[in-house]
Amino acid sequence: MQNVLEVKNLKTYFFTDEGIAKAVDDISFEIGAGETVGLVGESGCGKSVTSLSVMRLLKAHTMEGQILLEGKDLNNMSERELSKTRGKDISMIFQDPMTSLDPCFTCGYQMRETILQHHDVDKQQADKMALELLKSVGIPDPKATLRRYPHELSGGQRQRIMIAMAMTCNTKLLIADEPTTALDMTIQAQILNLMRDIRKEHNTAILMITHDLGVVAELCDRVIVMYCGKIVESGTVRQIFHSPMHPYTRDLLASLPSLDVKQDRLNTISGVVPSITALPTGCRYHPRCSVLCEACSREYPEMIEVEPGHKVCCHLCERKES
Amino acid sequence: MSSAYIVKRILRGLLTILLAVVVIFFLMRVAPADPAVVLASEDATEEDIQAIREAWGLDKPYTEQFLLYVRSLITGDAGMSYQFCVDKPLYKVTELVMMRLPNTIKLAFTSIIMSILMAIPIGIVCGLHPGSWIDNLVTSIGFIINAFPNFFIGMILILVFGLKLKLLPTGGNDAGFASILLPAFTLSLHFSVTLTRMTRTQFIQVMRSNFIRTTKAKGLDRAKILYIHGLRNVSIPLTTIIGLRIGAMLGGSIVVETLFRWPGLGYLLMTSVTGGDYPTVQFLVPYVCAVFVVINFIVDMLYGVLDPRAKAEKKA
């Protein structure tokens, strides 16, 4: 499978009064064509910064590494080249559909300007395309919706508009930064279904940023688990959910409520996420980890591949000899 | 826009004007200038002054004077001005105001246009590069300008451009467009500082917003992001303060008009107050107040046009 996106040694640092915030610290991953990859982790683990870094939408003090979109390095592009790529080959939808559309313009205008930016068509044709796109994302009464302002629509409808706008060019990679977090449960399911349809129809690769493991299990092929700016484990959904290797992944899964076992209290991970400017030495999870070894506080473990496609970053995991 | 809302606004506006009417009526009568004394000649006797009082109805009880005043406002006939006359009045108040009003309007719009031309481009540059040397420079200059009162700025300008360089007239309204430049510029400076700061903050805020991030993510050109989405969103709060400023300026600027002997309403109000010209003051103040109320109303309407969300709120 050819990779749509290859991220190599991405580092995104911010200089703050408290010190250097290593929001994303030397991570590498790839996404294959048509693949849906879930990027999970607690709040503040760097998943949103990762997605915004890939889109080059951040003003970070340090941004190193390669972001190869079909071989072209986004991190080397000028603003001009970037605006040609964004919205065309790589698109993004955001967490908060309520504020992600310009309140001063109609949905139709905002759709049309996106289409005109990337397609060589006139206004009438652009409006026709916008109408088709709205139909394809399941907006009821698309014609009237084009004339409406964002505040006249519900959150779910706005997110549909965002998706329609992201799909103006049959984008190869869609980054979805917690697209359902701000929506209620039934709408969440509808939006996830919509994304599934889009993937099937256009063979779009999706990078799904979420803290909702349910969403991952439902939609994704592979999972990347982040903790404190680092990738701690990655593998297929099956590998991660059935044989998690990293203690953090295990604790994360154990904190999910279960329908089968009666629980009085939900499991939680003890301790708190360390401050991004004062990270612990060695493995960043060791202060909260339940299965420590002597090396954990001393040095950062290397990423090893325990089985094909299943990588983990922990001193206690050993390569399975095959 | 519901009709209930409009009715509410009109009632509130009328109440504001009524308050101004009451306050100015009594303030004038507490003020030390006695119009009869001012009108009378130097060697007038007590009887002469009393005669003037009776002629102008100033000997009547306050309640009656007040009712007459309110009636004059309703009929729009504000009577004769005490100014420019000793024996026989020369101008009706309304005539006097109509003569001066165009000058005030000219001055108001010229100065506001000057402010807009200066402040909005500078504000955008500062808003795009907050913390840069140019931003800091503009902020410092703004502080310096704000530290100087208008009359001081005006005098400096008269000294430099009027007396030293002899480029522009020092006052009056005889030299056509050239004579408006100095007073308009003087009036525009403080507002330019406010407008620059406002543009800057609003621009920073808008450029950080989620919807601007969306426009970047969908690959729009930087120019379109700035001048379509950025400016449009910034224009909403700016309209409010520019509108209110127009309101404030249509009453005339007492200090600057007096300094430049600019024959507008501010200058007229100044001479009327010092000359104890009751009818003119009593007409001008409610007028200024009404202009404020009306402009406020217009600004709110405009707000609804510019910001689709405001329209929806008022509908609901």
Side-chain angles (χ1 to χ4, degrees):
Chain A
M1 186 160 41
Q2 212 204 331
N3 286 334
V4 174
L5 181 77
E6 271 177 66
V7 173
K8 289 180 182 165
N9 306 102
L10 177 68
K11 292 178 188 170
T12 310
Y13 296 171
F14 300 92
F15 301 152
T16 69
D17 292 342
E18 284 86 44
I20 299 175
K22 300 183 174 180
V24 172
D25 196 8
D26 202 358
I27 67 167
S28 303
F29 63 92
E30 61 290 313
I31 298 172
E35 194 182 25
T36 304
V37 176
L39 185 57
V40 296
E42 285 165 278
S43 307
C45 73
K47 30 185 216 304
S48 277
V49 175
T50 305
S51 63
L52 293 170
S53 299
V54 170
M55 283 298 283
R56 288 282 314 277
L57 283 173
L58 278 180
K59 269 190 186 155
H61 297 91
T62 309
M63 229 189 86
E64 282 173 18
Q66 287 180 304
I67 304 159
L68 299 170
L69 184 72
E70 297 193 306
K72 285 175 288 180
D73 190 356
L74 293 175
N75 206 8
N76 269 337
M77 278 191 183
S78 65
E79 274 298 320
R80 188 176 291 267
E81 290 173 293
L82 270 177
S83 58
K84 276 187 194 149
T85 312
R86 289 186 197 134
K88 186 161 168 282
D89 299 326
I90 184 169
S91 295
M92 184 160 180
I93 57 175
F94 299 94
Q95 181 172 359
D96 192 355
M98 306 312 266
T99 57
S100 292
L101 290 165
D102 191 328
C104 290
F105 295 90
T106 60
C107 297
Y109 179 88
Q110 296 185 57
M111 299 271 317
R112 187 211 288 161
E113 71 175 354
T114 319
I115 294 166
L116 289 176
Q117 186 74 37
H118 298 294
H119 293 276
D120 192 17
V121 293
D122 62 25
K123 279 184 186 172
Q124 277 81 26
Q125 286 170 297
D127 286 343
K128 226 176 266 170
M129 285 173 74
L131 198 64
E132 286 307 310
L133 279 163
L134 284 197
K135 273 183 201 157
S136 74
V137 295
I139 292 251
D141 199 359
K143 234 183 190 138
T145 306
L146 282 177
R147 284 194 304 273
R148 295 217 170 96
Y149 286 96
H151 71 266
E152 297 173 292
L153 303 175
S154 68
Q157 281 180 317
R158 285 187 225 188
Q159 197 60 290
R160 282 174 198 269
I161 303 248
M162 287 296 291
I163 293 173
M165 225 147 63
M167 296 309 298
T168 40
C169 293
N170 280 332
T171 181
K172 283 155 196 132
L173 175 64
L174 176 65
I175 300 179
D177 188 358
E178 311 212 19
T180 57
T181 308
L183 307 174
D184 65 48
M185 287 311 283
T186 47
I187 310 293
Q188 273 191 25
Q190 290 173 11
I191 295 289
L192 291 180
N193 278 335
L194 174 61
M195 294 184 67
R196 200 177 284 134
D197 293 345
I198 281 172
R199 182 183 57 182
K200 214 191 301 172
E201 204 169 312
H202 304 277
N203 197 31
T204 309
I206 299 175
L207 176 60
M208 185 82 181
I209 320 285
T210 181
H211 57 248
D212 187 339
L213 291 168
V215 170
V216 172
E218 212 174 304
L219 196 72
C220 298
D221 307 315
R222 277 199 307 124
V223 190
I224 297 168
V225 184
M226 273 186 90
Y227 185 77
C228 285
K230 286 274 196 190
I231 292 178
V232 293
E233 186 167 4
S234 68
T236 63
V237 167
R238 205 178 165 75
Q239 285 165 342
I240 298 291
F241 278 79
H242 289 275
S243 50
M245 302 296 287
H246 199 281
Y248 175 62
T249 318
R250 285 186 204 164
D251 292 345
L252 208 57
L253 288 167
S255 65
L256 283 179
S258 165
L259 287 176
D260 310 327
V261 190
K262 192 177 178 311
Q263 281 173 303
D264 288 335
R265 302 190 60 148
L266 297 178
N267 291 322
T268 53
I269 305 178
S270 62
V272 289
V273 184
S275 159
I276 201 85
T277 50
L279 292 169
T281 55
C283 173
R284 290 176 184 176
Y285 192 57
H286 86 260
R288 302 170 78 185
C289 187
S290 49
V291 283
L292 281 178
C293 76
E294 174 268 335
C296 291
S297 59
R298 201 159 30 87
E299 57 187 313
Y300 195 82
E302 263 179 63
M303 183 73 91
I304 52 171
E305 192 158 11
V306 285
E307 54 186 313
H310 190 175
K311 292 179 187 169
V312 65
C313 206
C314 179
H315 287 300
L316 295 167
C317 300
E318 275 168 45
R319 211 176 298 261
K320 271 186 197 160
E321 303 300 337
S322 51
Chain B
M1 202 66 54
S2 71
S3 52
Y5 174 76
I6 293 175
V7 170
K8 207 168 80 186
R9 285 297 301 261
I10 292 173
L11 286 180
R12 207 186 293 165
L14 285 176
L15 186 69
T16 312
I17 297 170
L18 183 69
L19 264 173
V21 164
V22 175
V23 169
I24 197 59
F25 178 83
F26 288 104
L27 267 186
M28 279 309 282
R29 275 147 188 85
V30 197
D34 182 344
V37 177
V38 176
L39 284 170
S41 52
E42 297 266 316
D43 52 349
T45 60
E46 193 55 43
E47 283 85 56
D48 295 337
I49 295 173
Q50 193 55 39
I52 295 175
R53 278 206 187 103
E54 275 164 30
W56 290 96
L58 292 168
D59 57 337
K60 291 176 180 144
Y62 282 173
T63 44
E64 201 183 332
Q65 284 189 42
F66 184 72
L67 289 176
L68 283 172
Y69 167 40
V70 171
R71 197 184 67 187
S72 75
L73 282 178
I74 292 168
T75 56
D77 177 18
M80 305 302 281
S81 164
Y82 298 174
Q83 274 180 91
F84 317 110
C85 69
V86 180
D87 303 318
K88 137 170 122 60
L90 286 175
Y91 295 108
K92 279 181 138 182
V93 170
T94 40
E95 276 171 5
L96 211 51
V97 169
M98 279 327 209
M99 273 159 55
R100 300 297 187 88
L101 184 61
N103 290 329
T104 283
I105 292 176
K106 239 192 280 175
L107 185 62
F109 279 93
T110 314
S111 94
I112 284 169
I113 288 168
M114 279 181 174
S115 293
I116 292 173
L117 290 182
M118 284 190 282
I120 291 184
I122 297 176
I124 290 176
V125 170
C126 294
L128 284 178
H129 310 283
S132 64
W133 66 268
I134 190 150
D135 184 30
N136 292 332
L137 183 73
V138 168
T139 309
S140 317
I141 293 176
F143 276 130
I144 295 171
I145 291 175
N146 272 346
F148 291 113
N150 266 342
F151 75 87
F152 184 78
I153 296 175
M155 285 197 291
I156 300 280
L157 290 174
I158 289 175
L159 276 177
V160 175
F161 291 98
L163 298 177
K164 265 265 174 322
L165 299 173
K166 297 199 189 311
L167 281 174
L168 295 167
T170 56
N173 185 26
D174 322 314
F177 187 64
S179 48
I180 205 172
L181 287 176
L182 283 188
F185 185 68
T186 310
L187 274 175
S188 74
L189 276 179
H190 282 163
F191 184 57
S192 295
V193 174
T194 316
L195 199 58
T196 306
R197 291 212 68 80
M198 187 88 174
T199 312
R200 176 188 177 274
T201 350
Q202 291 298 328
F203 221 84
I204 293 175
Q205 216 180 337
V206 167
M207 291 315 281
R208 276 186 195 149
S209 64
N210 285 346
F211 59 81
I212 289 292
R213 191 179 58 187
T214 306
T215 61
K216 287 180 192 160
K218 62 190 194 180
L220 282 197
D221 295 334
R222 190 174 154 79
K224 279 194 192 136
I225 296 175
L226 291 185
Y227 299 114
I228 296 180
H229 293 276
L231 264 192
R232 178 62 198 272
N233 279 280
V234 170
S235 71
I236 297 169
L238 293 190
T239 308
T240 317
I241 60 162
I242 291 173
L244 293 177
R245 176 71 181 174
I246 293 176
M249 299 274 298
L250 287 185
S253 160
I254 294 176
V255 172
V256 173
E257 285 187 5
T258 307
L259 180 68
F260 287 94
R261 288 175 288 113
W262 181 261
L265 294 179
Y267 194 23
L268 178 65
L269 189 60
M270 179 72 190
T271 48
S272 306
V273 170
T274 49
D277 185 356
Y278 287 4
T280 311
V281 177
Q282 286 177 0
F283 184 73
L284 265 181
V285 172
Y287 155 79
V288 171
C289 186
V291 167
F292 250 102
V293 168
V294 171
I295 293 280
N296 244 314
F297 185 67
I298 293 174
V299 166
D300 277 4
M301 299 289 117
L302 252 183
Y303 207 86
V305 176
L306 282 174
D307 188 347
R309 286 165 298 181
K311 220 184 312 186
E313 266 161 42
K314 278 170 196 160
K315 253 188 237 153

